[in-house]
Amino acid sequence: MNVSKWSYDDFKAFLLLYAANADLVVVKEEEDILKHIVSKKRLSKLKKHYSASSDYEIIQTIMSFKEKYFATEDEKNKLLKEIKELFLADSNYSILEKNAFMALQKIL
């Protein structure tokens, strides 16, 4: 999958896919959020790319979009807000999700 050609929605879906997997379980509510961002077909491709990537590669992929999609504090805060909404989608903000959120705050 050619990451350099990703749209903003591709990037955001990949980022939220990473967040959704923070507690090792993607629940229906999180899946529904992802399906509102990209098509089922595109989400399937992003999931395959995600599954084939190491944690390091995933973080590097996210960080590679910094200048393009979250260079300003407003853009960063918008993404963090969407990540937080995803974590709260199932009404269970686990310790794993809290830790992932803190890590994402640092890398975004």
Side-chain angles (χ1 to χ4, degrees):
M1 175 172 249
N2 190 346
V3 174
S4 66
K5 294 186 179 188
W6 281 4
S7 68
Y8 177 76
D9 286 343
D10 291 333
F11 161 73
K12 187 168 82 170
F14 187 78
L15 173 64
L16 293 179
L17 181 60
Y18 174 73
N21 279 283
D23 61 357
L24 309 175
V25 178
V26 178
V27 296
K28 181 188 180 311
E29 294 87 354
E30 293 167 333
E31 186 79 21
D32 290 345
I33 290 170
L34 294 169
K35 287 177 184 172
H36 278 87
I37 299 169
V38 292
S39 69
K40 284 184 182 181
K41 182 179 178 182
R42 190 65 181 164
L43 182 57
S44 177
K45 288 181 181 182
L46 291 168
K47 284 180 178 180
K48 285 179 184 173
H49 181 76
Y50 177 88
S51 294
S53 302
S54 68
D55 287 341
Y56 176 78
E57 291 168 329
I58 292 167
I59 297 300
Q60 291 301 310
T61 298
I62 293 168
M63 290 175 58
S64 73
F65 286 96
K66 185 171 184 85
E67 292 302 315
K68 189 172 183 179
Y69 293 135
F70 56 101
T72 68
E73 277 300 306
D74 286 342
E75 291 167 330
K76 174 183 170 179
N77 289 334
K78 180 182 175 192
L79 284 171
L80 288 170
K81 181 180 177 207
E82 292 185 60
I83 292 166
K84 187 73 154 264
E85 288 170 0
L86 180 99
F87 284 149
L88 297 172
D90 64 353
S91 302
N92 180 26
Y93 189 33
S94 73
I95 190 71
L96 292 172
E97 291 171 327
K98 289 175 186 174
N99 288 335
F101 188 75
M102 287 189 302
L104 286 168
Q105 284 179 303
K106 291 179 181 185
I107 67 168
L108 292 182

